[in-house]
């Protein structure tokens, strides 16, 4: 087995090993609002569940040369955001929002998506997602990077409202095949949900 010391690698080399090994990764499509009221949107695959009591999720927003991205800046400023699950129906549009745009331009418009009002927060979501979570900022952490130059902003949000499309909902559960979530691999590659199997946990 090859032995590699991450401290001897560049940031880019470590990134490639991580995204190539930790697969598949769920994708959070996040909407946030600038101080001027512009709705920004971007996908992030450093994303997961933190807690169910209360429901909390995490999104890690990587910085570019130490500079905070619009999504993290917006969330820290107004403490609200919406997370959408990326699926086979919306992945093409979501991919368009990954383009680097200035803060005053909305990725939602570029992708041709439809904004919808949220129920408990001021940040809108997008209609083209089967699941969306209205979130309030629980906490954030600056992590990694060098001294006084963080590498990422770890955002932890408390889910304050769920929006779940009727077609995927049944008896309090979500049908994974109907949701048809898309996961992130490395490079330009994505994956669909494939064969499912069941293994019972030990008592």
């Amino acid at each position: 087995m090859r032995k590699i010391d991450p401290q001897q690698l560049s940031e880019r080399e470590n990134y490639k090993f991580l995204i190539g090994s930790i697969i598949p990764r769920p994708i959070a499509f996040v909407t946030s609002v600038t101080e001027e009221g512009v709705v920004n949107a971007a996908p992030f695959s450093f994303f997961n569940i933190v807690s169910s009591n209360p429901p909390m999720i995490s999104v890690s927003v990587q910085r570019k040369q130490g500079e905070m991205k619009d999504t993290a800046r917006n969330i820290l400023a107004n403490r609200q955001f919406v997370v959408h699950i990326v699926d086979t129906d919306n992945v093409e549009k979501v991919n368009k929002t990954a383009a680097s745009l200035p803060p005053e331009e909305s990725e939602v418009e570029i992708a041709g998506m439809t904004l919808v009002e949220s129920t408990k927060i001021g940040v809108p979501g997008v209609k083209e997602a089967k699941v969306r979570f209205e979130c309030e900022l629980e906490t954030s952490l600056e992590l990694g990077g060098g001294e006084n130059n963080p590498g990422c902003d770890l955002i932890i949000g408390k889910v304050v409202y769920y929006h779940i499309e009727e077609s995927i909902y049944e008896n309090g559960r979500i049908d994974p095949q109907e949701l048809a979530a898309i996961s992130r691999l490395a490079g330009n590659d994505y994956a669909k949900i494939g064969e499912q199997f069941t293994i019972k946990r030990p008592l």
Side-chain angles (χ1 to χ4, degrees):
M1 180 171 277
R2 186 178 294 270
K3 296 176 174 60
I4 301 171
D5 184 347
Q7 294 185 346
Q8 303 301 314
L9 302 178
S10 68
E11 183 274 337
R12 188 66 184 170
E13 289 169 327
N14 277 309
Y15 175 79
K16 287 183 177 180
F17 279 141
L18 289 168
I19 66 168
S21 302
I22 302 174
I23 56 174
R25 299 187 308 281
I27 306 168
F29 178 55
V30 181
T31 52
S32 61
V33 176
T34 69
E35 291 182 353
E36 294 74 28
V38 178
V39 178
N40 288 148
F44 300 93
S45 68
F46 292 9
F47 157 59
N48 223 311
I49 302 164
V50 173
S51 165
S52 59
N53 182 28
M56 291 191 291
I57 55 181
S58 67
V59 180
S60 180
V61 183
Q62 305 302 293
R63 292 193 181 191
K64 224 174 188 180
Q65 298 176 336
E67 187 175 338
M68 188 180 288
K69 289 187 178 177
D70 294 340
T71 297
R73 188 182 304 109
N74 296 342
I75 292 171
L76 294 180
N78 67 23
R79 305 186 67 82
Q80 296 181 340
F81 59 105
V82 181
V83 172
H84 310 73
I85 300 301
V86 179
D87 60 57
T88 54
D89 292 335
N90 63 28
V91 65
E92 293 285 349
K93 289 185 176 183
V94 168
N95 186 57
K96 291 179 181 178
T97 69
S100 296
L101 298 179
E104 64 272 14
E105 290 188 41
S106 175
E107 295 85 356
V108 175
E109 293 179 13
I110 297 291
M113 290 178 149
T114 311
L115 289 176
V116 287
E117 286 188 9
S118 289
T119 301
K120 286 195 172 182
I121 65 173
V123 177
V126 297
K127 186 179 180 181
E128 290 80 4
K130 296 171 189 169
V131 175
R132 67 182 189 270
F133 307 122
E134 295 182 20
C135 298
E136 292 179 347
L137 179 65
E138 178 76 12
T139 191
S140 66
L141 293 169
E142 295 181 341
L143 299 172
E147 190 175 342
N148 300 319
N149 192 23
C152 74
D153 295 281
L154 178 62
I155 307 292
I156 297 176
K158 180 168 68 174
V159 179
V160 295
Y161 215 79
Y162 297 105
H163 297 267
I164 301 169
E165 193 172 286
E166 289 289 348
S167 65
I168 69 170
Y169 177 88
E170 186 176 356
N171 298 323
R173 298 178 184 272
I174 291 173
D175 184 329
Q177 296 298 329
E178 290 298 321
L179 173 57
I182 289 290
S183 59
R184 196 74 170 87
L185 303 177
N188 294 320
D189 295 335
Y190 296 81
K192 298 178 181 180
I193 291 178
E195 180 185 351
Q196 293 180 229
F197 60 93
T198 301
I199 301 178
K200 290 187 177 180
R201 294 187 183 186
L203 298 176

